[in-house]
Amino acid sequence: MFLINCPYCGERDQQEFKAGGEAHIERPKQPTELSDDEWAEFLFMRKNIKGVQFERWNHAHGCRKWFNMVRDTSNDEIKAIYKMGEKPPTQ
Amino acid sequence: MIKNLRVKSSEYIDETNRISFKFNGKTYHGFKGDTLASALLANDVHLVGRSFKYHRPRGIMTSGSEEPNAIVQINPGTNRTEPNVRATEVEIYEGLEASSQNCWPSVEFDIGGINNFLSPFFPAGFYYKTFMWPASFWEKYEFFIRHSAGLGKSPTSSDPDIYDHRNIHCDVLVVGAGISGILAAKNAAKNNFKTLLVDEKNELGGSTIYENNEFNKIDNKTPSEWLKKEIEELKNIKNLEIKTRTSVAAYHQYNYLLARENLTDHLEAKDKTNKIRQRLLKIRAKKVILATGALERPLIFNNNDRPGIMLSSAVKKYSEFYGVACGNKNVFFTNNDSAYESALSLYNKGINVDAIIDIREQSESKIVKKIKEIGIKIYWSHSIVDTAGYKRLNSVSIMKLSNDGTSVTGSKISISCDCLGIAGGWTPAVHLYTQSGSKLKFDEEKQIFLPNQNTSEQISVGSCGGDFKIDEIIKNLNHKLKDNLNIKETDLDNIKVEIDQENSKRNIWLLPSDKPLGKTKPFVDYQNDATAKDIKLALREGFRSIEHVKRYTTTGMGTDQGKLGNMHALGIIADTAGVKMGELGTTTFRPPYTPLTFGTIVGRNVGKFFDIFRRTPINDWHVENKAEFENVGQWKRAWYYPINGETMHQAVQRESKAARESAGILDASTLGKIDIQGSDASEFLNRVYTNAWSKLAVGKCRYGLMLNEDGMVYDDGVTTRLGENHYIMTTTTGGAANVLGKLEDYLQTEWPELDVYLTSVTDHYATASLCGPNSKKILKKIIPDLDLSDENFPHMSFKDAHIGNIQCRIMRISFTGEHSYEINVQASYGKDLWEKCIEAGQEFNITPYGTETMHLLRAEKGFIIVGQDTDGTMTPIDLQMDWIVSKKKYDFIGKRSLYRSDTMREDRKQLVGLLTDDPNIVLEEGAQIVSELNQSPVEMLGHVTSSYFSPNLKKSIALAVVRGGKDMMGKKLFVPMENKNINVTIANPVFYDEKNERLNA
Ligand SMILES: [Zn+2]
C-alpha cells in the first residue's frame, strides 16, 4: 500500500485515495468542432504505460482534493506529486 | 507401548507440566513448551500425513514454518477446527486434538496410496493432459478428483473467536529475532528509534539460542549463553516493543507490512474464550530490518521423502531445544559442515549417530576432526542412491560418487537407520525481501540468491543477507546498522568472536542413482509431489520460463510455496537447459509468507460490522410499525408495511391504491442532497445537466438528467433554486456519493474558474414525501398559514415554511404522478414531522408506503429509475426523453457523445412500455424479448427492466428496452420463459394519467 503525500494534508495511506487515471487529458473546449475520431481519442484512448506515468489522484476520504502524481508503474515509485493546474515536473 | 524418545531435559521444556493431546484419535503426552511435532517425535511418531498426488506416507521434515509435509487438521469436527496447520508450529495444550489430512480411511491405510504404484501414469501435466478429453466427461473426472483430493476440512459452524486489527507506526521494524535481529533491534532502540521486533516463534533467539557448539565462542561464551544475556538486557530498553508468535505475512511497497500476532492458539479451550485470538498488525515502518534467517536445503535423491528423513538442522533443534531424539539409529547425509554440527549436538546429548555420508571428497575443519575422533563413520564422496521403509525409514543404500558427480560407481552399501538428517546447505529467506519489490542477484560462489537492489528503506542482515558465520554476521551487521541508521557507535564494536566454521560445500542439485531417472523418485516439492523427473519432462516438452515450469509441474505451488525445494527446481532446470542460474531468475514469492486465517483478515468486520449501514431519522417509526426493509446501497429502506399477515404483493397493492385514492407517505430521506452555492452555480448546472438552468426562477424546481461524458445516463433528480446563487440538488439514493465525486472532479480539474462550492447535506435533512389527492388537505392541517393554492404554490416550486418552531423546506414535486409535497426538516426533527403527518392524515386514511410501492407508482407513470431501467448503455434519446436534452446549449457533459455515429443508430435498444396480452401475467424483470418463436438461434431484441401488477389499472405493466423499440408501437412480441411463451405488445411507457391531470387534482 502506497504512502501518498497529499499536497494539502501530508502523508496518508493509499486507502484514503482514489486513482483517477491518466493526467493532463484536457476536456476539449469546443467538442462540437471535433470529428468522431477526435472525440473518441479524448473519450476512450489512454496510454497505460509501463514506466513513468502521469496520473490523477483524489484524496477521496480526506480533503477530497484532486492532484497529480508521477508514478513509475513498473515499481510503483512515486516520483512527484503536484497540485492541479501546476506544471508537471520535467525529468 | 509408546516409546519415549525424550532423552535429556531442556530448559525450554517444562517437564513438571505434562500435557495430554490426541493425534488421529490416540492419546499421547508431551510437555509445556512442545510443539505438536516435537511431542509426536518424542512418542516416536514420524508418519503424520500422506502426500497430495501419490498419497505417499510422509513425516515431519522440519522444525518451523517451512514444513511441507506435517500439515494437520487442528481440533477436527469443532467450530475452532483449522486445516493445513503445520505441526511444527502448533504449541501443544491440554485437550488439543489433531488429525492427518489427505488420507482416507486413515493415515496408516490410505486407499489413495495406490496412486503411488500407478505413478508412471501420473507425470507432470497429467491433469491437463488427461482430463481435457472428451470435454463432456469433465464432470465425472471432477467428482473423482475432488473426492480423492483433500487439503483439510473447513469448519461448518461459525467461528467463536474474536479477531482484531491494529495500526502500528514505527521508526524501525525488525523482522526475526535471531542473533542479528536481536542485536539490530537493541541498537536501533538504544539510539532512540521507536523499534518493533517481531518473531514467529514463541521464544526469542532463533537458532543461535541453542547453539552450544564448543568451537564457536562470543566473548568467550558459547553463542547460546551469550545471546541469553543479550535477550535479558532487551527488557530494560525503552523504545522497544517485542512481539513473539508474530509472523509477517506480507511486505508491500513503502514499508507497509502485515503481520499476524497469535494470542490464544497455544492456550487451552477454557482460556481462549472472550479473548482476541489473532491480531492483524498493519505496520508502516520508516525503516525495515529483515533478519529472517535462512532455510536449510534438502538434498534431492531417490526416495528422499520417507518418514524419518528430516532436515539436519531440524534433527539438531529437536535434540537441543526440545530434548527429543528423532531416531534410535541416526545417520546424516550432507554436502557441507552443518550435518557435523548436528551430529555433535546429538552425540553430546547421548543420542546415537551411526554414520555421516558426505558427497564432498573431504573437509579438514575442527568439527569434522572432532567427529572423526568420536568415531562416527564418515563416507566421503558417497551418495544415497535409494532408501527403504514404507511408513518409516529403515535403511539407506549408498554408492561411491563419480568425480564429476553425475553418476555412482562401485558396490552398494546398505546402512540401517530410522532417522536420516539431510543437509544441502542454506538458502537465505528472501521471501519478504522480494515481496517488497526489491531485486535479487545470484551469487555463483555461494549458489544462493542474495538481496541486491532495495526499493525501499530496508536492509537485510544475518543469514537472509548471505552471512552464515557468526563473525561475518556481526561484522556486516555492524556496518549496515551504522550506515542505515546513521549512528557512530554500536554495541557490536567490541564483540570478540572465535569461530571454526567452514563454508566448504559441494553443490549437486540432483544426486545420481544407479537407476535411470525414470525409475526413481527424487522429490523436489514434497507437498505437491513434484519430482526431478517431472521438471525434466516439462523442459523436454518445451517449457522454458521458470514460471511456466512451476505451473506445469506444480512445483512451489503448495501451501508452503515450495520453501524447501524451489532452489533445486531452478538448479535442475539450469543444469538441464545448460544455462546459468542467475539468468533464469526466480519464481515470485507472493504474500502471505505463511497462510492467514480468514478471521485475521476480516478482523472486527463481521456480523453487523461487515459493512456500514445507514438508517434514516424516521427509521424507528418504520420498525415500530413492522416495516420490512430492503438494502439500497448502504441504506436500510422501508420496503413495505404488511398488516394483518399480508404478503408483500397484498401490502404493495393496498399501499399503491391508497396513495392514488387518498394519501400516501414515503420516507425519502435517503435521496442524495448536494448544496450548491456560488456566483457560477447556474452556469455549473448548465454544464452538468442536459437541460437549461439559467432561466429557472428562484423558488422553482426542475428535473435534471446527468450524463457521463460518453453520453450515457448517469443520474437524475430534482434541483431547486433556493436563491440567486444557491441551489439544492437531489440525486438517486445509490448515486449520491459518486455524483458528488464526479461534480467535484469537474469543478477542480476542468472548470477551476467557476465560483461554485459543493457540500453533501444528505444526512442533514429528513424528507417525508406526502402524495395523493388529499395531500394538500393534510399539509394544510399541519401548516395552516401557508397558502397552498396552485397560484401561490404551483407544481415544481418550493416554499420555506414553519411547522411550529421547526423550519422546513417544502417542494411541490412528484415521483408518483399524484399531487404531492416533499417536506424537508433538519434530520433530528424527522420522526416528529413524520408523526405529525400521520396524525393529520388519520381522517384521510394516510398510508405509509415503502420503496416497492414507490417503484410501482412511478412505473405506472413511465418514470425511469436510473440503474434499473438504465444500465450505463442508455442515452436520453434511447429513453425517449429527447425533451430534456437542450439543443440550444453549446455544451454539457456528454453532449458531443450523443452525436457519435454509434449513439445515433436507429436500432439501439430503446425504452418502451410492454403489456401482456393476458393482463394477469406479470413478467419477470430481466426476461428476454424475441420476435420469433420457431427460429434457432433467435435474436434477443431486449429485456424487461421493470414489471408490476398495477392495482390502479388492474393489469400487468412493464418497462423494457427493445432494439428499435421506438418505432414498434403496437407490435406483438414474445417473452419465452421456461414453461411457457408469453405474448406481449409494445405500448406507450406512460400507462397512467398520460395528460398529468392528477398533479393538480
Ligand atoms: Zn488531502
Side-chain angles (χ1 to χ4, degrees):
Chain A
M1 184 155 49
F2 305 170
L3 188 63
I4 297 173
N5 193 2
C6 170
Y8 305 93
C9 308
E11 285 188 335
R12 297 288 189 278
D13 270 353
Q14 185 187 350
Q15 62 180 12
E16 293 185 14
F17 297 84
K18 213 173 94 178
E22 195 178 328
H24 304 298
I25 299 176
E26 202 180 339
R27 188 173 186 274
K29 289 271 182 290
Q30 296 176 313
T32 46
E33 317 280 302
L34 301 182
S35 69
D36 269 13
D37 282 352
E38 286 166 332
W39 180 249
E41 182 70 28
F42 155 73
L43 197 55
F44 301 120
M45 305 314 274
R46 298 294 181 268
K47 293 200 199 85
N48 194 21
I49 295 162
K50 182 182 180 183
V52 176
Q53 178 163 286
F54 292 75
E55 300 175 331
R56 287 153 27 93
W57 283 76
N58 180 227
H59 196 183
H61 299 285
C63 63
R64 289 192 3 221
K65 284 284 193 186
W66 284 89
F67 56 90
N68 292 314
M69 179 191 289
V70 186
R71 181 174 68 106
D72 187 332
T73 60
S74 67
N75 60 12
D76 287 330
E77 188 193 341
I78 297 171
K79 292 179 169 295
I81 281 175
Y82 52 102
K83 292 179 183 173
M84 280 293 159
E86 287 180 356
K87 275 223 167 79
T90 47
Q91 295 158 53
Chain B
M1 178 64 197
I2 296 165
K3 267 193 268 181
N4 184 1
L5 291 179
R6 189 81 58 178
V7 285
K8 196 148 184 180
S9 60
S10 153
E11 62 186 290
Y12 298 101
I13 296 295
D14 178 3
E15 288 187 57
T16 63
N17 194 344
R18 191 163 176 263
I19 287 168
S20 65
F21 66 96
K22 277 187 179 171
F23 181 65
N24 285 335
K26 195 169 165 182
T27 301
Y28 297 92
H29 293 98
F31 298 112
K32 187 80 197 156
D34 265 324
T35 61
L36 179 59
S38 70
L40 286 171
L41 291 169
N43 286 285
D44 203 22
V45 176
H46 273 259
L47 171 62
V48 288
R50 292 271 178 165
S51 68
F52 187 56
K53 194 156 79 177
Y54 302 134
H55 291 246
R56 283 168 71 101
R58 289 283 165 79
I60 297 156
M61 272 209 76
T62 72
S63 57
S65 59
E66 70 272 32
E67 176 63 37
N69 287 340
I71 53 175
V72 296
Q73 180 99 26
I74 295 294
N75 297 321
T78 70
N79 55 1
R80 281 206 169 92
T81 193
E82 189 180 346
N84 300 322
V85 179
R86 293 152 301 282
T88 48
E89 289 195 298
V90 178
E91 296 173 48
I92 62 165
Y93 50 84
E94 192 65 37
L96 169 73
E97 290 191 32
S99 65
S100 302
Q101 296 182 174
N102 202 21
C103 53
W104 185 85
S106 77
V107 70
E108 294 286 334
F109 176 74
D110 175 20
I111 268 177
I114 198 154
N115 287 2
N116 184 30
F117 302 103
L118 296 175
S119 67
F121 305 112
F122 279 85
F126 172 73
Y127 290 92
Y128 299 119
K129 288 168 182 162
T130 309
F131 296 125
M132 293 300 289
W133 312 102
S136 61
F137 269 40
W138 169 246
E139 283 177 23
K140 292 181 180 71
Y141 292 139
E142 191 188 13
F143 175 81
F144 164 75
I145 293 165
R146 291 211 187 281
H147 195 71
S148 55
L151 280 173
K153 289 189 174 65
S154 51
T156 51
S157 49
S158 65
D159 191 332
D161 285 314
I162 306 164
Y163 299 83
D164 200 18
H165 286 183
R166 184 183 154 196
N167 287 296
I168 296 180
H169 296 264
C170 58
D171 295 326
V172 177
L173 168 69
V174 183
V175 185
I179 182 168
S180 344
I182 285 168
L183 295 176
K186 188 180 171 193
N187 283 286
K190 274 187 164 180
N191 283 282
N192 294 321
F193 291 94
K194 189 185 163 205
T195 305
L196 174 65
L197 171 65
V198 302
D199 193 278
E200 58 183 5
K201 299 270 187 339
N202 59 342
E203 295 278 351
L204 301 179
S207 61
T208 311
I209 204 69
Y210 52 89
E211 183 54 74
N212 298 311
N213 184 339
E214 66 212 60
F215 300 107
N216 296 332
K217 289 275 161 62
I218 307 176
D219 288 344
N220 288 321
K221 296 192 174 76
T222 65
S224 154
E225 275 177 278
W226 184 84
L227 191 59
K228 277 173 201 157
K229 179 181 61 73
E230 290 290 310
I231 291 170
E232 199 53 36
E233 285 174 20
L234 289 182
K235 286 177 190 160
N236 305 319
I237 297 178
K238 282 178 201 159
N239 288 326
L240 176 62
E241 186 178 4
I242 301 173
K243 288 194 174 290
T244 53
R245 298 187 176 102
T246 300
S247 165
V248 174
Y251 186 166
H252 296 293
Q253 306 106 328
Y254 298 88
N255 280 349
Y256 183 74
L257 297 91
L258 297 175
R260 181 210 51 214
E261 184 182 15
N262 225 328
L263 299 159
T264 66
D265 276 1
H266 60 292
L267 302 177
E268 289 178 42
K270 68 177 168 63
D271 298 326
K272 289 186 206 279
T273 34
N274 297 324
K275 286 190 186 134
I276 293 164
R277 181 191 169 199
Q278 292 172 347
R279 185 182 280 136
L280 186 71
L281 307 179
K282 304 172 178 180
I283 307 165
R284 182 78 74 174
K286 293 207 177 99
K287 290 167 191 286
V288 172
I289 299 178
L290 292 170
T292 46
L295 302 174
E296 191 168 41
R297 292 177 190 172
L299 291 163
I300 310 301
F301 55 95
N302 184 22
N303 287 320
N304 58 346
D305 66 326
R306 299 190 189 282
I309 300 180
M310 306 172 70
L311 294 182
S312 151
S313 57
V315 175
K316 176 179 167 184
K317 179 163 187 184
Y318 286 116
S319 135
E320 290 279 355
F321 192 87
Y322 299 104
V324 172
C326 293
N328 290 308
K329 291 173 73 63
N330 296 287
V331 169
F332 288 92
F333 182 28
T334 189
N335 69 3
N336 69 92
D337 274 4
S338 297
Y340 295 82
E341 291 178 13
S342 300
L344 183 60
S345 159
L346 263 58
Y347 172 82
N348 287 338
K349 293 261 174 186
I351 304 167
N352 180 43
V353 179
D354 285 12
I356 297 178
I357 302 140
D358 196 326
I359 66 172
R360 295 176 298 179
E361 277 159 25
Q362 58 161 338
S363 168
E364 289 300 323
S365 60
K366 280 187 201 162
I367 192 152
V368 171
K369 283 182 187 145
K370 171 82 179 178
I371 292 294
K372 283 181 188 162
E373 275 168 39
I374 293 166
I376 296 173
K377 170 83 178 153
I378 303 172
Y379 294 91
W380 296 107
S381 290
H382 272 71
S383 180
I384 295 182
V385 295
D386 202 357
T387 66
Y390 186 55
K391 288 184 214 163
R392 175 75 182 268
L393 178 73
N394 60 35
S395 71
V396 297
S397 305
I398 66 169
M399 287 173 78
K400 183 106 177 132
L401 198 58
S402 67
N403 286 339
D404 64 358
T406 58
S407 60
V408 284
T409 57
S411 54
K412 212 183 281 187
I413 306 166
S414 177
I415 304 169
S416 112
C417 58
D418 59 0
C419 177
L420 174 71
I422 52 180
W426 297 84
T427 300
V430 292
H431 309 71
L432 292 175
Y433 177 80
T434 59
Q435 278 183 25
S436 75
S438 296
K439 297 277 181 276
L440 301 169
K441 72 158 193 267
F442 190 70
D443 183 317
E444 285 291 340
E445 191 203 319
K446 293 181 178 172
Q447 294 278 295
I448 52 177
F449 282 99
L450 286 176
N452 186 29
Q453 283 179 316
N454 297 354
T455 54
S456 45
E457 273 286 338
Q458 61 178 201
I459 45 172
S460 294
V461 300
S463 54
C464 76
D467 298 325
F468 297 105
K469 299 196 292 185
I470 292 173
D471 57 340
E472 284 172 2
I473 289 172
I474 290 177
K475 193 180 88 194
N476 289 332
L477 173 64
N478 200 12
H479 287 312
K480 287 177 183 174
L481 282 178
K482 284 178 175 172
D483 214 41
N484 189 256
L485 303 180
N486 197 15
I487 49 180
K488 290 208 175 65
E489 289 174 7
T490 72
D491 288 2
L492 310 180
D493 289 338
N494 302 313
I495 295 175
K496 281 190 208 74
V497 182
E498 297 163 45
I499 64 139
D500 172 59
Q501 277 174 309
E502 292 291 326
N503 280 337
S504 119
K505 182 172 142 184
R506 183 181 188 191
N507 207 62
I508 302 175
W509 294 115
L510 172 60
L511 291 158
S513 170
D514 54 331
K515 290 183 202 151
L517 185 60
K519 305 272 183 208
T520 61
K521 285 209 181 66
F523 287 93
V524 176
D525 183 320
Y526 293 86
Q527 195 176 98
N528 274 347
D529 274 345
T531 66
K533 186 175 73 177
D534 294 325
I535 292 169
K536 292 204 172 202
L537 177 68
L539 290 166
R540 270 210 309 283
E541 293 187 356
F543 290 93
R544 284 294 172 271
S545 150
I546 172 69
E547 293 289 350
H548 291 161
V549 173
K550 171 179 158 178
R551 278 158 186 78
Y552 193 57
T553 61
T554 71
T555 303
M557 305 265 289
T559 59
D560 60 339
Q561 290 195 42
K563 291 188 180 81
L564 294 190
N566 271 344
M567 284 300 290
H568 305 81
L570 283 172
I572 291 165
I573 293 168
D575 285 352
T576 310
V579 294
K580 283 189 167 174
M581 287 278 278
E583 292 163 13
L584 277 175
T586 54
T587 58
T588 315
F589 298 110
R590 291 191 172 82
Y593 178 68
T594 49
L596 289 174
T597 59
F598 282 109
T600 309
I601 295 166
V602 298
R604 302 268 174 170
N605 303 319
V606 292
K608 63 179 176 179
F609 299 118
F610 181 70
D611 192 14
I612 290 164
F613 54 84
R614 302 167 79 184
R615 287 181 166 142
T616 77
I618 308 165
N619 185 74
D620 287 352
W621 192 93
H622 307 319
V623 173
E624 283 157 25
N625 288 274
K626 310 279 186 305
E628 292 291 328
F629 286 84
E630 80 167 329
N631 296 328
V632 182
Q634 291 171 328
W635 288 101
K636 300 277 173 198
R637 292 198 74 178
W639 193 10
Y640 58 97
Y641 301 80
I643 48 177
N644 301 328
E646 281 175 326
T647 63
M648 174 168 160
H649 177 75
Q650 289 164 340
V652 169
Q653 297 288 306
R654 173 181 51 76
E655 291 171 13
S656 303
K657 271 174 82 75
R660 293 225 187 275
E661 286 169 7
S662 178
I665 184 168
L666 171 84
D667 181 358
S669 308
T670 63
L671 282 182
K673 293 174 272 293
I674 300 171
D675 188 88
I676 304 173
Q677 301 194 39
S679 56
D680 293 316
S682 303
E683 171 61 16
F684 179 67
L685 290 171
N686 264 334
R687 296 188 192 187
V688 301
Y689 278 129
T690 60
N691 45 351
W693 289 80
S694 318
K695 288 180 187 151
L696 184 70
V698 174
K700 297 288 183 192
C701 314
R702 183 164 287 173
Y703 173 76
L705 202 57
M706 196 183 293
L707 310 185
N708 260 330
E709 204 67 273
D710 62 5
M712 304 304 158
V713 171
Y714 182 70
D715 199 73
D716 69 345
V718 170
T719 296
T720 302
R721 190 164 195 176
L722 300 172
E724 182 59 27
N725 297 321
H726 190 188
Y727 291 84
I728 185 147
M729 172 190 277
T730 56
T731 73
T732 56
T733 296
N738 288 336
V739 169
L740 180 68
K742 179 185 162 92
L743 298 184
E744 274 288 352
D745 186 352
Y746 275 91
L747 260 187
Q748 289 179 33
T749 68
E750 300 291 353
W751 309 319
E753 73 279 9
L754 293 186
D755 174 38
V756 176
Y757 303 89
L758 306 175
T759 311
S760 168
V761 291
T762 304
D763 296 293
H764 301 43
Y765 293 96
T767 308
S769 176
L770 197 56
C771 91
N774 287 317
S775 58
K776 192 179 191 172
K777 291 177 197 154
I778 296 168
L779 188 61
K780 190 76 193 166
K781 281 176 75 179
I782 303 169
I783 316 177
D785 53 348
L786 184 62
D787 177 1
L788 297 180
S789 67
D790 285 345
E791 295 70 42
N792 183 59
F793 196 177
H795 181 58
M796 297 308 271
S797 65
F798 141 82
K799 292 286 176 220
D800 268 323
H802 284 85
I803 303 174
N805 290 328
I806 308 168
Q807 235 188 339
C808 59
R809 284 176 181 163
I810 305 173
M811 280 80 166
R812 187 171 161 197
I813 52 176
S814 176
F815 192 41
T816 59
E818 296 298 320
H819 189 126
S820 54
Y821 301 94
E822 283 192 1
I823 312 165
N824 297 275
V825 293
Q826 186 182 311
S828 48
Y829 297 119
K831 196 173 168 225
D832 188 50
L833 164 72
W834 182 271
E835 283 167 345
K836 277 199 167 63
C837 292
I838 295 282
E839 197 189 319
Q842 284 293 339
E843 60 177 299
F844 304 103
N845 183 33
I846 190 171
T847 302
Y849 65 91
T851 51
E852 190 65 21
T853 292
M854 174 188 80
H855 286 183
L856 192 161
L857 294 173
R858 65 85 208 181
E860 288 177 339
K861 286 292 296 172
F863 294 152
I864 58 155
I865 289 185
V866 173
Q868 175 158 347
D869 302 297
T870 71
D871 60 359
T873 66
M874 303 296 287
T875 69
I877 319 301
D878 297 338
L879 293 171
Q880 305 216 44
M881 290 172 77
D882 313 43
W883 54 271
I884 202 172
V885 181
S886 164
K887 303 271 187 305
K888 290 186 196 143
K889 282 200 291 181
Y890 179 72
D891 193 16
F892 55 81
I893 297 172
K895 172 163 181 168
R896 175 62 186 83
S897 291
L898 298 179
Y899 301 95
R900 292 177 61 231
S901 58
D902 188 60
T903 40
M904 285 168 63
R905 277 190 295 114
E906 288 296 316
D907 63 343
R908 291 176 60 84
K909 282 182 186 165
Q910 290 143 356
L911 187 81
V912 292
L914 214 54
L915 290 172
T916 49
D917 291 4
D918 176 347
N920 290 314
I921 296 178
V922 179
L923 296 168
E924 274 185 36
E925 287 173 359
Q928 311 286 293
I929 300 163
V930 300
S931 62
E932 288 289 336
L933 283 175
N934 302 319
Q935 202 179 311
S936 176
V938 63
E939 189 196 9
M940 195 271 269
L941 291 178
H943 66 277
V944 178
T945 59
S946 295
S947 174
Y948 307 90
F949 186 83
S950 160
N952 299 302
L953 295 159
K954 299 192 176 55
K955 65 179 179 187
S956 149
I957 57 166
L959 297 175
V961 291
V962 174
R963 192 179 299 278
K966 213 186 278 189
D967 300 322
M968 290 167 75
M969 197 60 61
K971 192 169 164 67
K972 301 270 180 198
L973 296 171
F974 307 98
V975 173
M977 299 300 291
E978 203 174 3
N979 305 315
K980 58 185 173 191
N981 296 310
I982 303 167
N983 297 325
V984 295
T985 306
I986 300 228
N988 181 343
V990 184
F991 300 100
Y992 189 78
D993 184 26
E994 206 180 325
K995 294 187 178 136
N996 292 326
E997 285 161 347
R998 301 184 63 84
L999 285 174
N1000 294 315

